[in-house]
Amino acid sequence: MNKYLTATIKENSRINGSNNLLALYIKDTSENPVPGQFYMLEVSSSYDPLLKRPLSIFRKINNELQFLYRIKGKGTEKLQKMREGTNISIIGPLGNGYPLPSEKQIPLLIAGGVGVASIFSLAEKLDKKAYVFYGGRNKDELVMKDEIRNFAKELFISTDDGSEGEKGTVIDILNKFLDSQGSMESLVIYVCGPLPMLRAVAEVAVNKKIAGYISAEENMACGIGACLGCVIKTKHNYKRVCREGPVFSIHEIIWE
Ligand SMILES: Cc1cc2nc3c(=O)[nH]c(=O)nc-3n(C[C@H](O)[C@H](O)[C@H](O)COP(=O)(O)OP(=O)(O)OC[C@H]3O[C@@H](n4cnc5c(N)ncnc54)[C@H](O)[C@@H]3O)c2cc1C
Ligand code: FES
């Protein structure tokens, strides 16, 4: 199936804080992305920066692909300046996506910052089945809370400065929830966010023997498995985040 697509920017706007929403119109609707998959986006019409940038699929509505992104550096700065009507080359959907929980499992979805983009699409798919834990530095960093509340069994929020939800990190609200649970056996974790948060959640999962999945992040060059620029160390040797991931078992990654 053709993954090399040309899309047209329908909307590219600031939502709040440093979060932006990008909506692309695509003519070719042949392949539907699943939660956890991503696209490589050309962020400039010149060769600077040369490489496309990876963004998780946030939502797809008919012929419209939506992404949530935060400005990090040159590429995302340029992306933010691209106006409606501009054509943009994209590759996707790429990667493996989240394995869905079994009927018996209770999914715990954990999002940090803009990691909410891929967790949102999973929450939507699981429709009221999942507990969602969402942390940010302050209330201006949190987006789409009302929508998430609609899809979640329950939404727990934390902010570092206490401006919304519990004061502290997402690990604090997760631990509080786990302390209220009898058995960990039927729980399954899904997490996407910054590296220190991924490590901390993985530590909780290992200590409490909870199953789960992590959406890993690495800088990407090709996005299609050819350059080996995105490898991470796992218990089963090195794996490419763009091809074998970005979703890995929470117990598989070797943190260095
Ligand atoms: C599978 C995947 C899905 C992603 N989904 C989203 C998303 O939905 N929304 C979103 O805002 N961001 C997402 N990212 C991160 C996003 O790709 C980077 O923020 C972006 O590529 C930075 O490009 P830049 O040119 O603006 O910054 P650069 O100038 O390339 O880098 C600026 C800073 O950001 C760091 N950085 C660069 N790339 C990454 C990366 N991949 N992960 C973490 N830090 C990085 C650099 O180390 C540097 O410190 C995703 C990354 C991956 C791998
Ligand atoms: S980015 Fe090239 S192999 Fe993953």
Side-chain angles (χ1 to χ4, degrees):
M1 211 169 280
N2 183 26
K3 289 186 184 284
Y4 291 79
L5 309 167
T6 301
T8 308
I9 298 180
K10 207 177 146 194
E11 183 185 341
N12 191 12
S13 54
R14 181 71 54 102
I15 325 177
N16 70 350
S18 51
N19 294 301
N20 299 271
L21 176 76
L22 175 72
L24 302 180
Y25 174 80
I26 43 162
K27 276 193 206 138
D28 184 344
T29 56
S30 54
E31 203 173 347
N32 279 323
V34 297
Q37 283 191 305
F38 69 97
Y39 286 76
M40 295 293 288
L41 280 77
E42 183 183 62
V43 291
S44 159
S45 52
S46 74
Y47 289 114
D48 182 25
L50 178 65
L51 301 172
K52 291 185 167 63
R53 297 296 195 253
L55 292 182
S56 304
I57 184 70
F58 164 60
R59 209 157 41 180
K60 180 170 186 278
I61 306 170
N62 301 321
N63 283 33
E64 193 174 313
L65 294 175
Q66 294 185 358
F67 302 89
L68 272 182
Y69 69 96
R70 182 164 291 173
I71 297 166
K72 264 278 175 89
K74 201 175 199 174
T76 42
E77 264 164 29
K78 289 217 167 185
L79 179 63
Q80 211 242 332
K81 293 196 177 95
M82 292 171 83
R83 297 279 56 98
E84 283 134 47
T86 307
N87 283 344
I88 170 168
S89 294
I90 62 172
I91 315 174
L94 300 169
N96 58 356
Y98 298 106
L100 295 179
S102 70
E103 273 303 309
K104 286 184 188 150
Q105 283 180 311
I106 302 168
L108 311 181
L109 275 47
I110 306 162
V114 78
V116 75
S118 78
I119 289 297
F120 180 98
S121 61
L122 184 59
E124 186 174 21
K125 178 139 194 157
L126 295 178
D127 197 19
K128 296 271 181 209
K129 204 177 170 224
Y131 292 96
V132 181
F133 303 81
Y134 183 14
R137 269 176 288 186
N138 55 56
K139 70 174 171 31
D140 293 334
E141 277 210 345
L142 305 172
V143 293
M144 308 280 170
K145 288 164 293 185
D146 293 337
E147 288 88 340
I148 297 172
R149 220 167 255 122
N150 283 336
F151 306 137
K153 190 164 180 156
E154 204 169 341
L155 172 64
F156 302 95
I157 288 178
S158 69
T159 48
D160 296 354
D161 66 357
S163 52
E164 186 156 352
E166 298 246 344
K167 188 173 188 318
T169 71
V170 80
I171 307 297
D172 298 327
I173 50 175
L174 174 66
N175 276 329
K176 201 167 167 185
F177 176 85
L178 294 176
D179 288 345
S180 72
Q181 299 293 300
S183 154
M184 305 288 123
E185 217 171 286
S186 52
L187 304 178
V188 55
I189 281 173
Y190 295 85
V191 55
C192 185
L195 186 64
M197 188 192 116
L198 297 183
R199 275 174 190 273
V201 174
E203 208 177 300
V204 172
V206 169
N207 290 339
K208 297 200 186 281
K209 298 192 173 55
I210 306 173
Y213 302 95
I214 259 178
S215 178
E217 272 207 14
E218 271 303 323
N219 291 352
M220 288 188 184
C222 72
I224 54 166
C227 71
L228 305 185
C230 65
V231 291
I232 55 163
K233 203 170 179 183
T234 76
K235 289 182 182 164
H236 314 285
N237 221 330
Y238 284 93
K239 288 196 176 170
R240 296 163 297 182
V241 171
C242 69
R243 200 60 188 248
E244 286 79 43
V247 178
F248 294 93
S249 159
I250 206 164
H251 300 284
E252 189 184 354
I253 294 177
I254 296 176
W255 304 94
E256 295 189 310

